[in-house]
Amino acid sequence: MGNRGMEELIPLINKLQDAFSSIGQSCNLDLPQIAVVGGQSAGKSSVLENFVGRDFLPRGSGIVTRRPLILQLVNSKTEHAEFLHCKGRKFVDFEEVRMEIEAETDRITGSNKGISPIPINLRVYSPNVLNLTLIDLPGMTKVAVGDQPPDIEHQIRDMLLQFITKESCLILAVTPANTDLANSDALKIAKEVDPQGLRTIGVITKLDLMDEGTDARDILENKLLPLRRGYIGVVNRSQKDIDGKKDIRAALAAERKFFLSHPAYRHLAERMGTPHLQKTLNQQLTNHIRDTLPGLRSKLQSQLLSLEKEVEEFKNFRPDDPARKTKALLQMVQQFGVDFEKCIEGSGDQVDTSNLSGGAKINRIFHERFPFELVKMEFDEKELRKEISYAIKNIHGVRTGLFTPDLAFEAIVKKQIIKLKEPCLKCIDLVIQELINTVRQCTNKLGSYPRLREETERIVSTYIRERDSKTKDQVLLLIDIELSYINTNHEDFIGFVIRRGWLTINISIMKGGSKDYWFVLTAESLSWYKDEEEKEKKYMLPLDNLKLRDVEKGFMSSKHVFAIFNTEQRNVYKDLRQIELACDTQEEVDSWKASFLRAGVYPDKGQAENEDSLTQSDMVSMDPQLERQVETIRNLVDSYISIVNKSIRDLMPKTIMHLMINNTKDFIHSELLAYLYSAGDQGSLMEESAEQAQRRDEMLRMYHALKEALLIIGDISTTTVSTPVPPPVDDTWITKEPSSAPPPSLNPSPAFGVPPLPSRPGPVQAHVGEAGSAAAPLVPSRPARVPPSLPPGIPR
């Protein structure tokens, strides 16, 4: 072959074939190989058995080869066989090889004659073989037999195309000589994927079974349906020889004798037969590998680069290293802590773009879900007012209260604050669930060690549950603290002062004229002062029995006016039954009216309707003073509860973060390892799963196979002398044949005494002339044997 490197090419491809097949990735890298295609009973199996010199392939009728068989022949001093799926077992008896192929085929495809694209890898070591790798594919069929699926023809065709469409695959097209070459299934499918004939090698079998007086000389001389790589003829054992267990060595000797003694093939004998076919395939596969080396090298490098990251954790794996498990445990726990913190705090690596998780989901619970739960606590307005009225009456007892009691306000506020406990506890439960989900997500990387993953999840989840009770206790303490003291001096609490602002009192000129005063509206009274300093009070008007009414704007006035009056027809201010209050805009009037509503002073028109509806619906008789007090407390409760809600919304995330999330992170970083050590034996804790061990072995084997392949490829001399592919063959004349002409046949009528058919020699001569081949001119053989000038009556 020129140098040692070239001789190692086929074994190298065998190693890669094994590495890829064992991990189910044989399709990721198109390795140079030879695929054997042909119709059923074309003699493919016999050719392969002749190569090995042993009977080892299943025999029978119908489809016998139902899975691709990757046959790797390795020249060796000893003879035995190995299967990739039976690692370590050497088969010396080739009858057992046959049985193993049948059993392995049935294991995947069943016994119903179905097919499968999953290959069987068989390596045969023998002193009688040359380094060669072939793929025996199922024979093409037309009709489903027995339990076969009805589309069996298409299934087989699709399987064949998976292999032979790859540019790196040489096609060994096997055709029996006793059938019409133009109808050869093998040549047809090869022509589809290799129209230039660059990758196709023709094999003609059953030459000894042709009708007497016929031969395949034109085909073997590459004159009929020419291929760039030509044809090689072989003679296999007959079915009778196979049944009689005829020795393959004797069969090869008989094949040699056949070619040497046959008048039509004598001059081709050195280029015919199984030994020459094996030698040719060895050389052509080696040359083909050499030609595809540049592309193969770049693919190997890209595969290696893609594996680098995955293999990083396995590269330095030493199963016998006593410190390995300790080191692996430390790395795993450390990585788990980093992953957990990244999930909570956020990170740019491997961002999930489909769902919220970890810290983002907890943030949503804090600032969307929890506030929503608080808002959802809608009060039944009528029920709340009824509770307030009962509280006021019960506090006054037998007495009639003149003022709104503080105790009623506190009682109602405390009752509402207690209701906050439920959404607060629910918020904690939601955060806990998300933390546990995050732990499970982060332990996915510990899947290589099932026991470690299980213990880590258990320990961290137990810790989170412990923090759960402590966090809930703290949150309930916060609620109790709110209940312990009702701070009515809070800066955001409206208190009894509902509104302050300037208003104009409209009084006639006769009584002193209109004047501007600084008004202060509280829950009990309306006061006005000389100015904003509130030092000189002009008057204080109790709100009992007061109502509002609209007043039309005066003709000469630009201000908007509303009035306050007493429902018991008493004077409101001095001798006035009502006081008119004026504002610059209607918006100010509406705003002041709303403030009066909060103080329990209602518009005149709505009073009767409001009292009727309350009386009818609640069956509670409310006098105007009680109604105003209820409204006052209702407004005060609303103001104070909003303060408490705001405080709880702020404190809840802080409490949960401090007592639960941050503590969990600290626990993982500082205490998890100690808990794992105390949980059990370190050896069992770091026991790998079977899947992980297998994955590591396969990944490392593939990684090292790729590195070794690149190393060997680097040593191979690119100047190695090899036989180039023959030049293109002009076969355009084949397609130009008239459709009415009979197809070329390997069984023509005897030529002697009959004028030759013009359709065959004519095109052949034209073809030879056009091809411009350097070989001697090819003379058609049949016309030469029967000169046209001889009279037809000459004895034969």
Side-chain angles (χ1 to χ4, degrees):
M1 294 299 161
N3 61 27
R4 183 186 63 82
M6 287 300 289
E7 292 170 5
E8 290 182 356
L9 278 180
I10 293 178
L12 162 65
I13 297 300
N14 289 347
K15 288 180 186 177
L16 289 174
Q17 195 91 51
D18 285 354
F20 292 133
S21 296
S22 65
I23 57 175
Q25 294 184 359
S26 55
C27 295
N28 286 3
L29 192 66
D30 297 338
L31 299 175
Q33 54 199 7
I34 300 176
V36 185
V37 298
Q40 287 184 31
S41 304
K44 302 190 308 299
S45 298
S46 295
V47 171
L48 297 180
E49 286 184 336
N50 286 352
F51 284 170
V52 177
R54 295 283 184 177
D55 292 321
F56 67 96
L57 292 173
R59 297 283 183 173
S61 59
I63 301 179
V64 178
T65 305
R66 294 185 284 128
R67 287 176 60 184
L69 176 68
I70 299 178
L71 178 61
Q72 299 173 350
L73 305 181
V74 181
N75 186 266
S76 172
K77 292 179 181 180
T78 58
E79 185 178 48
H80 66 275
E82 295 176 359
F83 285 96
L84 191 60
H85 64 271
C86 300
K87 294 178 182 177
R89 182 180 172 187
K90 293 185 179 181
F91 292 79
V92 180
D93 184 351
F94 280 81
E95 186 63 33
E96 291 183 9
V97 174
R98 183 204 310 272
M99 294 166 61
E100 182 60 32
I101 292 174
E102 291 174 347
E104 180 64 12
T105 300
D106 290 343
R107 187 178 67 82
I108 297 293
T109 63
S111 55
N112 67 340
K113 299 293 182 183
I115 65 168
S116 168
I118 302 173
I120 299 173
N121 282 59
L122 172 62
R123 181 173 293 178
V124 177
Y125 296 85
S126 171
N128 304 317
V129 301
L130 294 176
N131 288 344
L132 192 59
T133 301
L134 304 108
I135 302 176
D136 186 21
L137 296 169
M140 288 174 278
T141 184
K142 302 290 184 186
V143 182
V145 178
D147 295 333
Q148 289 176 351
D151 63 338
I152 189 71
E153 177 186 358
H154 299 292
Q155 286 189 29
I156 293 176
R157 178 182 169 81
D158 291 344
M159 186 194 298
L160 265 57
L161 291 174
Q162 282 181 22
F163 287 91
I164 65 175
T165 48
K166 298 172 184 174
E167 289 298 321
S168 59
C169 181
L170 295 178
I171 305 167
L172 194 65
V174 180
T175 305
N178 57 356
T179 60
D180 190 352
L181 187 67
N183 293 326
S184 166
D185 292 329
L187 289 174
K188 277 183 180 177
I189 197 167
K191 190 76 173 173
E192 287 181 30
V193 298
D194 181 32
Q196 301 299 321
L198 290 172
R199 301 185 283 118
T200 306
I201 305 165
V203 176
I204 306 298
T205 61
K206 305 187 181 181
L207 290 166
D208 55 329
L209 300 182
M210 296 182 71
D211 292 342
E212 188 177 351
T214 62
D215 60 59
R217 181 173 174 176
D218 283 355
I219 298 168
L220 297 177
E221 289 180 347
N222 209 21
K223 295 176 182 177
L224 184 66
L225 292 178
L227 297 173
R228 291 183 69 171
R229 296 178 185 265
Y231 293 87
I232 297 174
V234 296
V235 176
N236 298 325
R237 293 175 298 166
S238 65
Q239 190 61 44
K240 181 180 177 182
D241 295 337
I242 294 169
D243 295 340
K245 303 291 184 183
K246 181 178 179 179
D247 185 61
I248 291 181
R249 292 182 181 82
L252 291 175
E255 179 190 51
R256 176 73 174 159
K257 183 178 178 183
F258 172 82
F259 283 112
L260 287 172
S261 61
H262 197 288
Y265 310 132
R266 194 180 301 152
H267 66 295
L268 300 170
E270 296 305 318
R271 293 190 284 117
M272 296 292 125
T274 301
H276 178 73
L277 174 61
Q278 190 176 175
K279 183 180 177 183
T280 301
L281 292 180
N282 169 271
Q283 183 183 21
Q284 296 214 14
L285 179 58
T286 304
N287 290 337
H288 184 57
I289 293 172
R290 175 184 174 275
D291 294 338
T292 56
L293 275 183
L296 179 60
R297 181 186 287 110
S298 63
K299 286 185 179 180
L300 287 171
Q301 286 170 338
S302 63
Q303 286 273 357
L304 192 66
L305 283 174
S306 65
L307 276 180
E308 279 283 358
K309 203 167 186 180
E310 296 180 53
V311 173
E312 189 61 39
E313 55 182 310
F314 303 138
K315 270 198 306 188
N316 301 317
F317 182 81
R318 298 287 182 274
D320 54 344
D321 182 2
R324 178 185 65 82
K325 290 186 177 180
T326 305
K327 184 179 178 183
L329 178 61
L330 288 169
Q331 288 176 338
M332 290 286 186
V333 172
Q334 190 176 24
Q335 186 61 46
F336 170 71
V338 171
D339 291 343
F340 183 80
E341 189 160 354
K342 282 184 177 180
C343 280
I344 298 298
E345 301 296 336
S347 165
D349 351 335
Q350 300 176 353
V351 177
D352 186 351
T353 57
S354 55
N355 293 296
L356 285 181
S357 62
K361 202 161 185 178
I362 292 173
N363 179 276
R364 188 174 182 178
I365 293 170
F366 283 160
H367 302 297
E368 293 182 30
R369 184 72 183 269
F370 178 57
F372 175 71
E373 293 293 333
L374 293 180
V375 172
K376 239 175 32 172
M377 291 171 47
E378 294 178 354
F379 305 117
D380 184 338
E381 194 65 36
K382 290 180 180 178
E383 189 64 31
L384 180 61
R385 289 177 185 277
K386 189 189 293 186
E387 289 176 3
I388 294 172
S389 69
Y390 285 149
I392 292 172
K393 288 177 179 178
N394 287 331
I395 288 169
H396 285 156
V398 296
R399 295 162 297 164
T400 301
L402 298 177
F403 300 101
T404 305
D406 293 354
L407 291 176
F409 163 72
E410 284 201 13
I412 298 300
V413 162
K414 287 181 178 180
K415 188 173 182 180
Q416 299 306 319
I417 291 175
I418 289 172
K419 290 181 180 179
L420 295 176
K421 290 183 178 181
E422 184 181 345
C424 287
L425 297 179
K426 185 176 181 180
C427 174
I428 295 172
D429 289 336
L430 290 172
V431 173
I432 286 172
Q433 189 56 52
E434 189 51 41
L435 277 178
I436 291 175
N437 290 341
T438 304
V439 169
R440 287 176 183 156
Q441 178 186 337
C442 294
T443 54
N444 283 339
K445 289 186 179 179
L446 308 181
S448 311
Y449 305 95
R451 181 81 201 287
L452 174 64
R453 177 177 181 174
E454 181 185 334
E455 283 298 312
T456 302
E457 279 189 21
R458 182 186 64 78
I459 292 169
V460 179
S461 298
T462 303
Y463 180 81
I464 291 173
R465 296 290 181 193
E466 289 173 1
R467 302 310 301 174
D468 169 26
S469 58
K470 292 182 180 178
T471 307
K472 284 180 177 176
D473 289 345
Q474 182 64 34
V475 169
L476 293 177
L477 180 61
L478 288 177
I479 303 293
D480 290 340
I481 289 170
E482 291 287 353
L483 289 169
S484 66
Y485 180 67
I486 307 301
N487 180 20
T488 54
N489 284 326
H490 193 283
E491 58 183 4
D492 295 333
F493 183 56
I494 61 170
F496 289 91
V497 177
I498 296 174
R499 180 164 185 157
R500 290 179 169 89
W502 289 98
L503 285 172
T504 301
I505 298 181
N506 282 346
I507 302 176
S508 64
I509 299 175
M510 297 291 297
K511 295 182 179 181
S514 299
K515 288 187 179 180
D516 293 339
Y517 292 101
W518 178 258
F519 277 76
V520 177
L521 174 64
T522 70
E524 300 288 343
S525 63
L526 177 67
S527 305
W528 54 92
Y529 299 82
K530 182 180 178 182
D531 52 35
E532 297 176 16
E533 295 181 0
E534 299 180 12
K535 290 181 179 178
E536 186 180 339
K537 182 185 289 186
K538 290 294 183 181
Y539 194 76
M540 185 183 78
L541 174 64
L543 299 183
D544 295 336
N545 302 317
L546 292 184
K547 294 291 178 185
L548 298 176
R549 66 162 54 123
D550 293 328
V551 177
E552 291 186 9
K553 188 167 63 171
F555 177 73
M556 297 297 292
S557 172
S558 62
K559 293 197 173 186
H560 299 264
V561 185
F562 67 96
I564 299 173
F565 68 96
N566 191 300
T567 56
E568 295 182 354
Q569 305 297 320
R570 295 177 184 173
N571 290 342
V572 178
Y573 175 51
K574 296 182 179 178
D575 60 346
L576 299 175
R577 291 295 178 90
Q578 71 175 28
I579 56 172
E580 295 182 1
L581 302 174
C583 303
D584 291 333
T585 63
Q586 184 62 41
E587 287 76 11
E588 287 185 74
V589 171
D590 293 339
S591 179
W592 271 101
K593 282 182 180 179
S595 299
F596 276 105
L597 283 175
R598 288 175 61 192
V601 179
Y602 295 106
D604 182 27
K605 290 182 181 179
Q607 180 183 1
E609 294 174 8
N610 192 31
E611 287 180 354
D612 289 345
S613 63
L614 284 170
T615 303
Q616 291 171 5
S617 60
D618 300 327
M619 303 299 291
V620 177
S621 175
M622 294 182 68
D623 58 59
Q625 181 179 346
L626 179 61
E627 183 183 350
R628 184 185 59 75
Q629 290 177 346
V630 167
E631 182 64 26
T632 299
I633 290 180
R634 173 69 186 91
N635 288 322
L636 294 175
V637 167
D638 198 26
S639 173
Y640 194 81
I641 289 298
S642 67
I643 294 170
V644 173
N645 282 353
K646 185 177 179 181
S647 175
I648 292 295
R649 281 203 309 267
D650 180 56
L651 286 173
M652 274 291 290
K654 294 175 179 177
T655 305
I656 294 174
M657 280 298 296
H658 175 66
L659 292 177
M660 184 179 295
I661 298 175
N662 288 344
N663 274 2
T664 302
K665 287 193 295 186
D666 293 342
F667 172 80
I668 291 172
H669 283 300
S670 59
E671 298 183 53
L672 174 60
L673 195 60
Y675 274 86
L676 285 170
Y677 272 116
S678 62
D681 175 43
Q682 183 189 347
S684 63
L685 201 63
M686 295 304 293
E687 193 67 41
E688 284 185 311
S689 64
E691 295 82 5
Q692 167 66 10
Q694 182 183 356
R695 177 174 173 267
R696 186 192 65 248
D697 291 344
E698 290 170 353
M699 199 73 77
L700 286 172
R701 187 165 58 251
M702 185 173 177
Y703 178 79
H704 291 304
L706 287 169
K707 289 195 76 171
E708 183 184 352
L710 285 169
L711 204 61
I712 294 176
I713 289 175
D715 291 340
I716 291 170
S717 169
T718 54
T719 60
T720 302
V721 178
S722 61
T723 308
V725 178
V729 177
D730 183 8
D731 57 355
T732 53
W733 60 274
I734 297 172
T735 58
K736 294 179 182 177
E737 281 190 8
S739 59
S740 59
S745 172
L746 295 187
N747 281 327
S749 304
F752 292 97
V754 181
L757 293 174
S759 61
R760 296 182 69 179
V764 171
Q765 289 174 344
H767 157 67
V768 173
E770 290 170 11
S773 174
L778 297 174
V779 181
S781 56
R782 292 182 182 176
R785 282 180 278 168
V786 187
S789 59
L790 288 175
I794 294 296
R796 298 172 188 172

